[in-house]
Amino acid sequence: MNVLNLEHISKIYGDKVIFDDISCGIHQGDKIGIIGINGTGKTTFLRILAGLEEADDGQVIMQNGLRISFLSQHPTFPEGATILSYVTQGQREQSWNPETEAHMVLNKLGIEDHEEEIAHLSGGQKRRAALAGVIAMHPGVLVLDEPAAGLDPGGRREILGRIREFCDSSGTTVIIVSHSMEDMAMYCDCVTVMSDGRIAFSGTPAQVFSRSEELFSLGLDVPQITRVAAALERRGI
């Protein structure tokens, strides 16, 4: 069952066409990775999906009552905020108890000191706190822009593993933009390649990353392919 349908979406900034006439359907429980070189409109695409920007043409049709949470590449935090206050701040008008929900989500993400100030956290811990903030909103769809950017390999594995674990257990749909083909191969079940304002092709990680010549022609970093092959082997696909 589709939770989101994009019908002939186009976006233009000034004279620059960001993307043109994109159509696709997103199923419940999908784990989609989006890759492409800089300037292909990946972040704008996510923001339109999340309802933060409007398309110039076309429409986004979503399931009734669908809640979408968006996490930007550079999340910001209120000055002096603790982890707990940050995670509860967006939930005040919800039907559930914000603090109870926040404690539960933080524990699932391996965050033990809920009263620690965010300013004192490491980069990886801040990423986890930001992720907790969007998960606590009970989203049907998580939209994540480079959620592991700037982290070392161990940090990337931890944060993406936590995302995958949460989505597997909850049935939440996740759409992730990343520059790392290895991460997309390891943690997503579908990979979409964007180029020149369009969806070039999509498929399973094995299908997409077997098309190395096409990826190279689109300007992607084909030397990553050997690491992608290793990631696919670790997943047994």
Side-chain angles (χ1 to χ4, degrees), residues 18-211:
I18 304 300
F19 45 80
D20 182 38
D21 197 26
I22 288 180
S23 297
C24 65
I26 296 169
H27 295 83
Q28 182 175 350
D30 277 353
K31 299 172 184 66
I32 301 170
I34 300 176
I35 62 174
I37 63 172
N38 288 337
T40 54
K42 301 185 297 299
T43 293
T44 302
F45 182 71
L46 292 189
R47 290 180 61 82
I48 289 174
L49 276 178
L52 300 175
E53 288 192 35
E54 292 187 2
D56 293 323
D57 287 302
Q59 59 182 336
V60 178
I61 302 171
M62 66 177 65
Q63 188 180 66
N64 287 339
L66 182 69
R67 190 188 303 275
I68 301 176
S69 289
F70 175 78
L71 181 59
S72 71
Q73 182 176 350
H74 303 291
T76 58
F77 305 95
E79 185 176 353
T82 65
I83 298 171
L84 182 62
S85 69
Y86 172 76
V87 175
T88 57
Q89 70 177 355
Q91 304 180 63
R92 297 302 179 187
E93 298 179 3
Q94 306 306 325
S95 58
W96 56 83
N97 183 289
E99 288 202 2
T100 299
E101 184 66 20
H103 285 302
M104 183 178 68
V105 171
L106 290 167
N107 289 334
K108 282 185 178 181
L109 292 177
I111 299 174
E112 297 178 356
D113 186 354
H114 303 175
E115 297 294 344
E116 187 171 5
E117 285 194 24
I118 291 178
H120 300 158
L121 301 179
S122 67
Q125 290 170 323
K126 287 179 179 178
R127 289 276 177 187
R128 282 194 289 167
L131 180 62
V134 293
I135 286 177
M137 293 299 296
H138 291 202
V141 178
L142 267 178
V143 180
L144 309 175
D145 190 5
E146 296 281 1
L151 301 182
D152 61 24
R156 288 205 318 272
R157 285 194 297 271
E158 179 180 12
I159 196 77
L160 292 169
R162 297 278 188 180
I163 292 167
R164 172 92 198 194
E165 183 179 292
F166 165 74
C167 292
D168 281 344
S169 64
S170 64
T172 301
T173 303
V174 62
I175 305 162
I176 303 177
V177 158
S178 176
H179 282 92
S180 170
M181 290 191 281
E182 182 180 6
D183 289 345
M184 296 298 91
M186 191 67 191
Y187 297 103
C188 295
D189 296 329
C190 175
V191 176
T192 293
V193 183
M194 293 186 69
S195 176
D196 294 328
R198 295 181 180 274
I199 294 175
F201 52 91
S202 299
T204 66
Q207 290 169 337
V208 167
F209 295 119
S210 68
R211 299 167 69 168

